[in-house]
Amino acid sequence: MDVRLVVEQGRRRLRVVRLRGPATRIGRARGSGVRIPSAEVSRQHCVLRVEEGLVTVEDLDSVNGTFLNGEAVVGCQVVRPGDRLNIGPVTFVVEYELTPEALERLRDSADDNEYEIVEVAEVEPVAEDEEVLPVGEEFVLDEGVAEVALEEWDVTDEGDGPATQGKR
């Protein structure tokens, strides 16, 4: 299944990260599938899973929380195509195509009040000139990537204490 996390600034798509495998951990720690070196992001912040045609997100007891469409993620929640996922200073737009079976499961579970289906967004194809970055051992997003003034930050962990940050 082709799942993409798109970092946007206004109407401009800054980066596209393609998820691989059934689970991707996002956090500040080295070795995270998607690493966001920011003091606002916990070492092990959240995990995205691809299961049976759906994407889910689970917050891993992060200090600042994970937000889906502006609401704090509690437990494991379904992420629909077009949803916005906020992790620290970065906002991702999640893109993937729902299979008819996955859409039917969402509708069935909405009847049980487990999930609410508001609208399913159309997924934009990746433009030919757009850089798509696969998630490998580590993919690093700059802290300021979603801000107007792009800056690089270096985050240093000192044992179990708080992270320190400074401009490179």
Side-chain angles (χ1 to χ4, degrees):
M1 190 162 109
D2 183 28
V3 179
R4 298 181 303 262
L5 302 179
V6 179
V7 181
E8 293 182 329
Q9 179 180 331
R11 292 199 160 282
R12 201 168 129 237
R13 294 160 66 107
L14 293 180
R15 298 218 176 129
V16 178
V17 180
R18 182 168 281 137
L19 301 186
R20 291 187 190 167
T24 300
R25 193 172 299 258
I26 299 174
R28 189 179 76 227
R30 294 194 186 282
S32 298
V34 176
R35 183 171 173 248
I36 305 172
S38 166
E40 296 177 46
V41 177
S42 295
R43 289 182 186 104
Q44 303 293 314
H45 199 93
C46 66
V47 64
L48 292 175
R49 291 188 182 89
V50 179
E51 303 171 305
E52 299 178 5
L54 294 172
V55 174
T56 60
V57 62
E58 180 181 0
D59 185 77
L60 299 174
D61 295 324
S62 65
V63 173
N64 294 317
T66 303
F67 295 85
L68 185 61
N69 299 320
E71 299 290 324
V73 171
V74 177
C76 187
Q77 292 183 235
V78 169
V79 180
R80 295 181 314 268
D83 280 355
R84 294 189 177 283
L85 183 65
N86 295 86
I87 301 166
V90 179
T91 299
F92 296 104
V93 176
V94 181
E95 294 183 349
Y96 69 100
E97 294 204 30
L98 285 171
T99 62
E101 296 82 15
L103 186 56
E104 189 60 35
R105 267 199 331 282
L106 275 176
R107 286 191 177 121
D108 289 346
S109 48
D111 293 339
D112 300 334
N113 293 323
E114 189 175 343
Y115 306 116
E116 177 186 356
I117 299 177
V118 178
E119 177 181 328
V120 176
E122 290 291 320
V123 176
E124 292 182 28
V126 176
E128 286 183 26
D129 63 339
E130 191 168 55
E131 181 182 14
V132 177
L133 305 165
V135 173
E137 288 181 22
E138 185 174 290
F139 174 77
V140 181
L141 286 176
D142 299 333
E143 177 176 352
V145 78
E147 298 173 3
V148 175
L150 298 180
E151 297 176 338
E152 290 187 29
W153 292 88
D154 182 31
V155 173
T156 307
D157 295 330
E158 307 248 346
D160 288 336
T164 58
Q165 77 178 18
K167 259 187 192 175
R168 276 194 223 162

